[in-house]
Amino acid sequence: QVQLVESGGGLVQAGDSLRLSCAASGRTFSRYSAAWFRQAPGKEREFVAAIGWSGTNTYYADSVKGRFTISRDNAKNTVYLQMNSLKPEDTAVYYCAADPTNSDSEWHYWGQGTQVTVSS
């Protein structure tokens, strides 16, 4: 069993940066793919970025490519999302997820989310 806890959200202005963290319990997390998703009010949850278990492979939604960077520190069981040049449309609850199958499509574990609000 893996538990995920996100942190680092907050209220910022457009153009600012934030770094989200996702701390995982369980020694097997270092062998799982991980990802960030987000859900804005009144919208469906959407994919933001994913990273393979080794950290070598990363994937991004077009809307954040070039602005967001996903990374992980397996020694600390933590995944990060560095968000630069934030826009008001990035406002959402951001969720961390883990995929034990490493198929990047079976996100079995989810965190509780952290709110990111970007003012214009």
Side-chain angles (χ1 to χ4, degrees):
Q1 188 75 7
V2 171
Q3 291 185 328
L4 306 174
V5 179
E6 302 96 334
S7 62
L11 172 63
V12 297
Q13 293 187 333
D16 286 350
S17 298
L18 273 178
R19 188 176 82 156
L20 305 183
S21 298
C22 172
S25 64
R27 291 177 291 178
T28 54
F29 177 75
S30 63
R31 292 297 183 179
Y32 295 174
S33 297
W36 288 94
F37 291 78
R38 66 186 182 186
Q39 187 167 20
K43 295 187 177 181
E44 293 187 354
R45 185 168 57 195
E46 64 174 0
F47 168 79
V48 175
I51 187 166
W53 68 269
S54 69
T56 301
N57 298 318
T58 57
Y59 312 90
Y60 297 93
D62 289 342
S63 59
V64 306
K65 202 171 294 184
R67 299 187 299 123
F68 290 10
T69 302
I70 188 171
S71 61
R72 68 190 300 162
D73 184 340
N74 284 338
K76 296 182 178 180
N77 261 12
T78 302
V79 174
Y80 304 98
L81 184 68
Q82 177 66 44
M83 305 186 294
N84 298 329
S85 302
L86 282 162
K87 304 176 181 180
E89 51 262 45
D90 294 318
T91 295
V93 177
Y94 283 71
Y95 297 92
C96 177
D99 174 5
T101 70
N102 289 307
S103 64
D104 295 339
S105 62
E106 298 187 28
W107 304 105
H108 290 187
Y109 303 107
W110 292 85
Q112 83 291 345
T114 185
Q115 176 71 48
V116 173
T117 303
V118 184
S119 63
S120 57

mmCIF file of all heavy atoms in Angstrom, residues 1-4 24-29 32 77 98 100 108-110:
data_model
loop_
_atom_site.group_PDB
_atom_site.id
_atom_site.type_symbol
_atom_site.label_atom_id
_atom_site.label_comp_id
_atom_site.label_asym_id
_atom_site.label_seq_id
_atom_site.Cartn_x
_atom_site.Cartn_y
_atom_site.Cartn_z
ATOM 1 N N GLN A 1 0.843 -1.197 0.000
ATOM 2 C CA GLN A 1 0.000 0.000 0.000
ATOM 3 C C GLN A 1 0.875 1.243 0.000
ATOM 4 O O GLN A 1 1.897 1.291 0.677
ATOM 5 C CB GLN A 1 -0.911 0.007 1.235
ATOM 6 C CG GLN A 1 -1.962 1.089 1.241
ATOM 7 C CD GLN A 1 -3.098 0.792 0.285
ATOM 8 O OE1 GLN A 1 -3.160 -0.290 -0.300
ATOM 9 N NE2 GLN A 1 -3.992 1.749 0.114
ATOM 10 N N VAL A 2 0.480 2.218 -0.777
ATOM 11 C CA VAL A 2 1.214 3.477 -0.877
ATOM 12 C C VAL A 2 0.281 4.617 -0.519
ATOM 13 O O VAL A 2 -0.856 4.664 -0.997
ATOM 14 C CB VAL A 2 1.770 3.673 -2.298
ATOM 15 C CG1 VAL A 2 2.343 5.070 -2.458
ATOM 16 C CG2 VAL A 2 2.824 2.619 -2.608
ATOM 17 N N GLN A 3 0.743 5.514 0.317
ATOM 18 C CA GLN A 3 -0.009 6.725 0.622
ATOM 19 C C GLN A 3 0.765 7.929 0.100
ATOM 20 O O GLN A 3 1.987 7.990 0.244
ATOM 21 C CB GLN A 3 -0.245 6.839 2.132
ATOM 22 C CG GLN A 3 -1.200 5.789 2.677
ATOM 23 C CD GLN A 3 -1.533 5.981 4.136
ATOM 24 O OE1 GLN A 3 -0.703 6.457 4.899
ATOM 25 N NE2 GLN A 3 -2.742 5.620 4.523
ATOM 26 N N LEU A 4 0.036 8.852 -0.498
ATOM 27 C CA LEU A 4 0.638 10.020 -1.114
ATOM 28 C C LEU A 4 0.119 11.289 -0.438
ATOM 29 O O LEU A 4 -1.096 11.424 -0.226
ATOM 30 C CB LEU A 4 0.304 10.065 -2.606
ATOM 31 C CG LEU A 4 0.663 8.811 -3.409
ATOM 32 C CD1 LEU A 4 0.151 8.939 -4.836
ATOM 33 C CD2 LEU A 4 2.157 8.573 -3.404
ATOM 34 N N ALA A 24 5.665 10.084 -0.504
ATOM 35 C CA ALA A 24 5.027 8.771 -0.518
ATOM 36 C C ALA A 24 5.527 7.899 0.620
ATOM 37 O O ALA A 24 6.694 7.963 1.010
ATOM 38 C CB ALA A 24 5.312 8.077 -1.840
ATOM 39 N N SER A 25 4.615 7.111 1.149
ATOM 40 C CA SER A 25 5.001 6.092 2.111
ATOM 41 C C SER A 25 5.110 4.770 1.369
ATOM 42 O O SER A 25 4.494 4.594 0.325
ATOM 43 C CB SER A 25 3.949 5.972 3.215
ATOM 44 O OG SER A 25 2.723 5.528 2.658
ATOM 45 N N GLY A 26 5.906 3.865 1.885
ATOM 46 C CA GLY A 26 6.034 2.570 1.224
ATOM 47 C C GLY A 26 7.301 2.482 0.404
ATOM 48 O O GLY A 26 7.578 3.343 -0.424
ATOM 49 N N ARG A 27 8.071 1.437 0.635
ATOM 50 C CA ARG A 27 9.368 1.297 -0.028
ATOM 51 C C ARG A 27 9.237 1.014 -1.505
ATOM 52 O O ARG A 27 10.153 1.233 -2.275
ATOM 53 C CB ARG A 27 10.171 0.181 0.638
ATOM 54 C CG ARG A 27 10.637 0.509 2.048
ATOM 55 C CD ARG A 27 11.352 -0.664 2.656
ATOM 56 N NE ARG A 27 10.442 -1.777 2.923
ATOM 57 C CZ ARG A 27 10.831 -2.937 3.416
ATOM 58 N NH1 ARG A 27 12.107 -3.148 3.672
ATOM 59 N NH2 ARG A 27 9.960 -3.892 3.640
ATOM 60 N N THR A 28 8.072 0.519 -1.962
ATOM 61 C CA THR A 28 7.921 0.166 -3.368
ATOM 62 C C THR A 28 7.646 1.361 -4.263
ATOM 63 O O THR A 28 7.693 1.241 -5.482
ATOM 64 C CB THR A 28 6.773 -0.836 -3.530
ATOM 65 O OG1 THR A 28 5.591 -0.287 -2.928
ATOM 66 C CG2 THR A 28 7.111 -2.157 -2.882
ATOM 67 N N PHE A 29 7.398 2.540 -3.694
ATOM 68 C CA PHE A 29 7.065 3.708 -4.512
ATOM 69 C C PHE A 29 8.158 4.018 -5.507
ATOM 70 O O PHE A 29 7.891 4.488 -6.611
ATOM 71 C CB PHE A 29 6.813 4.920 -3.606
ATOM 72 C CG PHE A 29 6.538 6.183 -4.362
ATOM 73 C CD1 PHE A 29 5.316 6.379 -4.975
ATOM 74 C CD2 PHE A 29 7.505 7.172 -4.465
ATOM 75 C CE1 PHE A 29 5.050 7.548 -5.672
ATOM 76 C CE2 PHE A 29 7.253 8.339 -5.157
ATOM 77 C CZ PHE A 29 6.022 8.530 -5.769
ATOM 78 N N TYR A 32 7.533 2.697 -8.932
ATOM 79 C CA TYR A 32 6.275 3.032 -9.592
ATOM 80 C C TYR A 32 6.430 4.274 -10.454
ATOM 81 O O TYR A 32 7.158 5.209 -10.107
ATOM 82 C CB TYR A 32 5.191 3.336 -8.559
ATOM 83 C CG TYR A 32 4.764 2.193 -7.675
ATOM 84 C CD1 TYR A 32 3.871 2.406 -6.635
ATOM 85 C CD2 TYR A 32 5.243 0.904 -7.861
ATOM 86 C CE1 TYR A 32 3.453 1.383 -5.804
ATOM 87 C CE2 TYR A 32 4.849 -0.133 -7.032
ATOM 88 C CZ TYR A 32 3.947 0.115 -6.003
ATOM 89 O OH TYR A 32 3.547 -0.903 -5.191
ATOM 90 N N ASN A 77 11.652 9.241 -1.544
ATOM 91 C CA ASN A 77 10.278 8.830 -1.865
ATOM 92 C C ASN A 77 9.398 10.036 -2.189
ATOM 93 O O ASN A 77 8.243 10.117 -1.738
ATOM 94 C CB ASN A 77 9.667 8.045 -0.708
ATOM 95 C CG ASN A 77 9.731 6.537 -0.922
ATOM 96 O OD1 ASN A 77 10.419 6.066 -1.824
ATOM 97 N ND2 ASN A 77 9.022 5.787 -0.106
ATOM 98 N N ALA A 98 0.194 7.486 -8.383
ATOM 99 C CA ALA A 98 1.236 6.480 -8.615
ATOM 100 C C ALA A 98 0.651 5.269 -9.326
ATOM 101 O O ALA A 98 -0.484 4.864 -9.060
ATOM 102 C CB ALA A 98 1.867 6.062 -7.287
ATOM 103 N N PRO A 100 1.537 1.385 -10.059
ATOM 104 C CA PRO A 100 2.421 0.257 -9.756
ATOM 105 C C PRO A 100 2.710 -0.633 -10.951
ATOM 106 O O PRO A 100 3.645 -1.438 -10.913
ATOM 107 C CB PRO A 100 1.652 -0.513 -8.674
ATOM 108 C CG PRO A 100 0.230 -0.163 -8.913
ATOM 109 C CD PRO A 100 0.238 1.251 -9.423
ATOM 110 N N HIS A 108 -3.331 3.789 -9.523
ATOM 111 C CA HIS A 108 -4.034 3.135 -8.428
ATOM 112 C C HIS A 108 -4.041 3.957 -7.155
ATOM 113 O O HIS A 108 -4.931 3.808 -6.324
ATOM 114 C CB HIS A 108 -3.403 1.778 -8.127
ATOM 115 C CG HIS A 108 -3.647 0.764 -9.196
ATOM 116 N ND1 HIS A 108 -3.291 -0.571 -9.069
ATOM 117 C CD2 HIS A 108 -4.193 0.865 -10.424
ATOM 118 C CE1 HIS A 108 -3.629 -1.224 -10.163
ATOM 119 N NE2 HIS A 108 -4.169 -0.373 -10.995
ATOM 120 N N TYR A 109 -3.039 4.788 -6.970
ATOM 121 C CA TYR A 109 -2.886 5.520 -5.713
ATOM 122 C C TYR A 109 -2.961 7.017 -5.976
ATOM 123 O O TYR A 109 -2.371 7.519 -6.935
ATOM 124 C CB TYR A 109 -1.551 5.177 -5.052
ATOM 125 C CG TYR A 109 -1.374 3.715 -4.784
ATOM 126 C CD1 TYR A 109 -0.493 2.950 -5.539
ATOM 127 C CD2 TYR A 109 -2.103 3.088 -3.772
ATOM 128 C CE1 TYR A 109 -0.336 1.591 -5.294
ATOM 129 C CE2 TYR A 109 -1.952 1.728 -3.526
ATOM 130 C CZ TYR A 109 -1.078 0.991 -4.292
ATOM 131 O OH TYR A 109 -0.927 -0.346 -4.047
ATOM 132 N N TRP A 110 -3.691 7.705 -5.094
ATOM 133 C CA TRP A 110 -3.898 9.142 -5.253
ATOM 134 C C TRP A 110 -3.696 9.853 -3.917
ATOM 135 O O TRP A 110 -4.023 9.306 -2.857
ATOM 136 C CB TRP A 110 -5.321 9.424 -5.738
ATOM 137 C CG TRP A 110 -5.565 8.960 -7.134
ATOM 138 C CD1 TRP A 110 -5.938 7.706 -7.534
ATOM 139 C CD2 TRP A 110 -5.430 9.738 -8.326
ATOM 140 N NE1 TRP A 110 -6.048 7.661 -8.898
ATOM 141 C CE2 TRP A 110 -5.746 8.888 -9.408
ATOM 142 C CE3 TRP A 110 -5.085 11.064 -8.584
ATOM 143 C CZ2 TRP A 110 -5.724 9.328 -10.731
ATOM 144 C CZ3 TRP A 110 -5.066 11.501 -9.899
ATOM 145 C CH2 TRP A 110 -5.380 10.646 -10.954
#
